[in-house]
Amino acid sequence: MIQIHTPLRASAMATFFAMVLTPLSAQVDDCDGTRYRYTSAFESFEVDYDVEYGNAINSTGLSQSLLADVYQPEGDANTMRPLIIMAHGGFFIGGENDNPDVLALCEDLTKMGFVVGSITYRLGIDNFLDVSNALVRSVWRGYHDGKAAVRYFRKTAAEDGNPWGIDPDRIYFAGVSAGGFIGLHLAYMDDESEVPPQVDQTAAGMGGGLEGESGSPGYSSAVSGVVNIAGALKTADYLSVGDEPLVSVHGNEDGTVPFGTGMISLGIIPITDVDGSSVIHAVADELGIENCFTVLEGADHVAHVGDADAYYQTLG
């Protein structure tokens, strides 16, 4: 399927990708896009829908196919293109990989010349009598599925003739809200001691250590950088010197995912304390991690959906 979109202006994410794809010669906190102008490289793109990248036991105890829609710019002769894996939001309860929170981003990033794989991942609560701990386990499942998606695309490049023309050394993870949680934890939660105590790795669909069992074992799940839109980390202490570059976009009046340190809640049910984007980037600065932070002043959660100005600040 081919779709057409109009060009966009320079973007925070374009700044990030330019930052990590080219030698860094200026301050990493320059988020205004003046150094890396974005102009539309392609007018149309193609989408391969429902590509199965893995399979795992979900919160109901059933086997679930994990699917991706893969976007490619049409007419691009380059066969070694950076890949962005995109994960939607939905509080790990709902959402799809063509949700409004990710669809336009996938299309516009593809028009920049990237390959984009928009993924589904396991959703749902495994114990409605213990929602707080069950949602922590849901994050763990999404974390595993995100890693499997990275491994899958590396596997296709190595074993299947590289059907989407990606550079396996330039894979990035982007996510909105819950998807931002996945990307941040995928990159920065890298020690067994950091696994949440609510996670029973002997339970079906929860094993495999940090890598999980969602598919394509034996390939690296490392990413070259993370794009976080309104997500958070359990704790910014997960970050270490030399970690992957990061860009975040977050409304400073976000009432769903804290902009700073605060409690994530589902309605009136408290889930867990987290560190939002402002805390994460303060720690990144202290550790010398390359990063770019765009604050949406006065904005609530995922403001880029339905707000043109917030969208242009996010991508344009």
Side-chain angles (χ1 to χ4, degrees):
M1 179 178 180
I2 298 173
Q3 304 182 38
I4 309 277
H5 275 253
T6 56
L8 294 177
R9 298 180 284 124
S11 70
M13 280 196 279
T15 301
F16 167 74
F17 289 116
M19 181 176 77
V20 296
L21 293 174
T22 61
L24 191 65
S25 59
Q27 295 297 316
V28 297
D29 61 352
D30 181 3
C31 299
D32 64 8
T34 57
R35 292 182 292 123
Y36 305 107
R37 291 299 297 174
Y38 164 54
T39 56
S40 182
F42 298 91
E43 293 184 355
S44 57
F45 52 87
E46 301 175 347
V47 187
D48 292 328
Y49 293 101
D50 295 335
V51 174
E52 184 170 326
Y53 73 84
N55 189 284
I57 301 299
N58 64 22
S59 62
T60 68
L62 299 177
S63 178
Q64 176 180 331
S65 293
L66 305 171
L67 306 177
D69 293 345
V70 185
Y71 296 70
Q72 297 183 82
E74 187 183 27
D76 185 11
N78 190 342
T79 58
M80 289 289 283
R81 300 168 295 192
L83 168 70
I84 303 167
I85 296 174
M86 181 73 71
H88 63 82
F91 220 99
F92 295 94
I93 296 172
E96 294 288 346
N97 60 355
D98 59 355
N99 275 4
D101 62 347
V102 294
L103 182 60
L105 296 174
C106 291
E107 294 172 345
D108 288 324
L109 286 167
T110 304
K111 285 173 57 61
M112 289 174 61
F114 295 99
V115 178
V116 180
S118 185
I119 65 170
T120 66
Y121 50 91
R122 287 173 289 172
L123 304 172
I125 295 172
D126 59 27
N127 185 350
F128 285 94
L129 300 178
D130 187 18
V131 171
S132 296
N133 289 325
L135 278 171
V136 173
R137 292 190 290 273
S138 296
V139 178
W140 178 250
R141 294 186 189 93
Y143 166 86
H144 275 172
D145 296 349
K147 288 201 162 192
V150 177
R151 294 194 300 266
Y152 169 78
F153 282 102
R154 284 208 168 93
K155 180 180 179 180
T156 66
E159 298 184 13
D160 301 329
N162 201 4
W164 294 290
I166 69 163
D167 182 347
D169 294 325
R170 294 187 293 170
I171 296 178
Y172 305 90
F173 202 100
V176 178
S177 190
F181 274 74
I182 292 174
L184 289 166
H185 287 84
L186 181 151
Y188 305 125
M189 192 177 79
D190 52 12
D191 191 283
E192 286 281 354
S193 66
E194 298 167 344
V195 177
Q198 297 92 331
V199 172
D200 176 5
Q201 295 192 57
T202 67
M206 304 290 282
L210 293 173
E211 289 300 311
E213 299 171 333
S214 298
S216 302
Y219 286 88
S220 171
S221 62
V223 294
S224 295
V226 178
V227 176
N228 157 50
I229 302 173
L233 272 170
K234 172 57 184 171
T235 172
D237 291 342
Y238 291 164
L239 275 70
S240 303
V241 173
D243 270 346
E244 297 84 350
L246 170 67
V247 66
S248 294
V249 181
H250 208 137
N252 63 354
E253 297 295 334
D254 193 327
T256 301
V257 176
F259 179 74
T261 296
M263 175 68 67
I264 288 277
S265 299
L266 179 62
I268 63 171
I269 303 173
I271 305 302
T272 188
D273 285 307
V274 297
D275 285 338
S277 300
S278 66
V279 177
I280 294 168
H281 281 270
V283 173
D285 284 339
E286 292 175 4
L287 296 174
I289 298 169
E290 296 176 7
N291 72 95
C292 175
F293 185 27
T294 295
V295 178
L296 301 180
E297 295 290 344
D300 201 347
H301 193 55
V302 294
H304 70 282
V305 179
D307 183 328
D309 182 63
Y311 183 82
Y312 281 113
Q313 288 186 68
T314 301
L315 187 67

